[in-house]
Amino acid sequence: MENDPRLTPLVRSLPASVPFVGPEAHERARGRPFRARLGANESLFGPSPKAIAAIEAAAPEAWKYGDSESHDLRAALARHHGCAPENILVGEGIDGLLGLTVRLFIGPGDVAVTSTGAYPTFNYHVAGFGGRIEAVPYTADHEDPERLMARARETGAKLVYLTNPDNPMGTWHDAGTIRDAVHAVPDGALLLLDEAYIELAPDSACPALPVDDPRVLRFRTFSKAHGLAGARVGYVIGEAGVISAFHRIRNHFGMSRISQAAALAALQDQEWLGHIRSEVAAARDRIAAIATQNGLTPIPSATNFVAIDCGSDGAFARKVLDGLMARGIFVRMPFVAPQDRCIRISAGRPADLDAFAEELPGALADARKV
Ligand SMILES: Cc1ncc(COP(=O)(O)O)c(C=O)c1O
């Protein structure tokens, strides 16, 4: 297939890479299920019971396509964010929306700037449309907005990708730093601000940005705090003109009505969101305590996961990770140095974290032996 002449030259040039191997694929390979699923930053606490009821209520209507305008969900999101429905585009998770955004702005040879080792799905889309990635290093385990904007200026980039809070390190910037980054977006460029975890961060991390600023698009998701990763619902907030461009290329019937109903009910259950925030905060504390008890260093996190510094290099962290996976604990780790000295543990319920606490000492001992 690699050299199939029917493929476009661009596709023939791409590696057959998968940004993330899913836990189910790992389970099939190992021939048994994991004991704890702590690698994909899903919400193990589940969605709001009201969202589950909405899914059940929508199920008999599954013969109908979803509303191609996601009207009710967009209206509710607009009320929630104090903007107009025209400022919101609903789509198939941030991952899908990033793909559409890259398709809108990146043609062969165009430059997009990101951070080395940041959330890789953006790079995957840029490669898929023939763009060129320019990456700048993290500074002290944080994505570095000043460096990102400087590189964008030097290279004439069209897109700059910044995640706040960050995945895989869980670190974050305050609202003032993000506002400064928006003001520093070079002419001709657009900032993609990925806020997948923002509902789990301190309020001080979330800037009030004018919705009619054409320099920035904000990406949100129902996959993390709202616990609906499998429903595939995300949205972009931005200036109405930029948002309207998506209608030229988007998959108009890509949203399932079951997912639309689930997201609407989840948004309306802010009490559940508050409950999740405290569950996640408690889980972060517990993961940090388990790390410390094992002589490792947890990195402060504003997300639903904690990166744990294993105190050595990437090869050592990989051994710890392999030991955990072999013991039935699904976790992941950053891809590149120096962040790859860490393993990354998703917030879990007490029983999930008990399993992690039980298995970490053995995984560490084995990693130190070899
Ligand atoms: C930074 C970041 N952006 C986007 C996503 C994916 O979001 P979605 O499920 O909405 O596609 C993730 C998931 O891990 C993430 O960490």
Side-chain angles (χ1 to χ4, degrees), residues 40-41 92-96 98 119 161 163 165 167 194 196-197 220-224 229 232-234:
N41 302 339
E92 298 126 71
I94 292 180
D95 284 357
L98 283 174
Y119 186 65
Y161 178 69
T163 302
N167 178 15
D194 183 337
Y197 301 95
R220 302 283 180 97
T221 184
F222 284 88
S223 297
K224 305 301 178 184
R232 309 307 301 128
V233 189

Side-chain angles (χ1 to χ4, degrees), residues 164 172-182 202-209:
N164 191 52
W172 69 102
H173 290 292
D174 63 20
T177 305
I178 300 299
R179 257 195 313 271
D180 290 348
V182 174
D203 291 346
S204 58
C206 186
L209 297 173

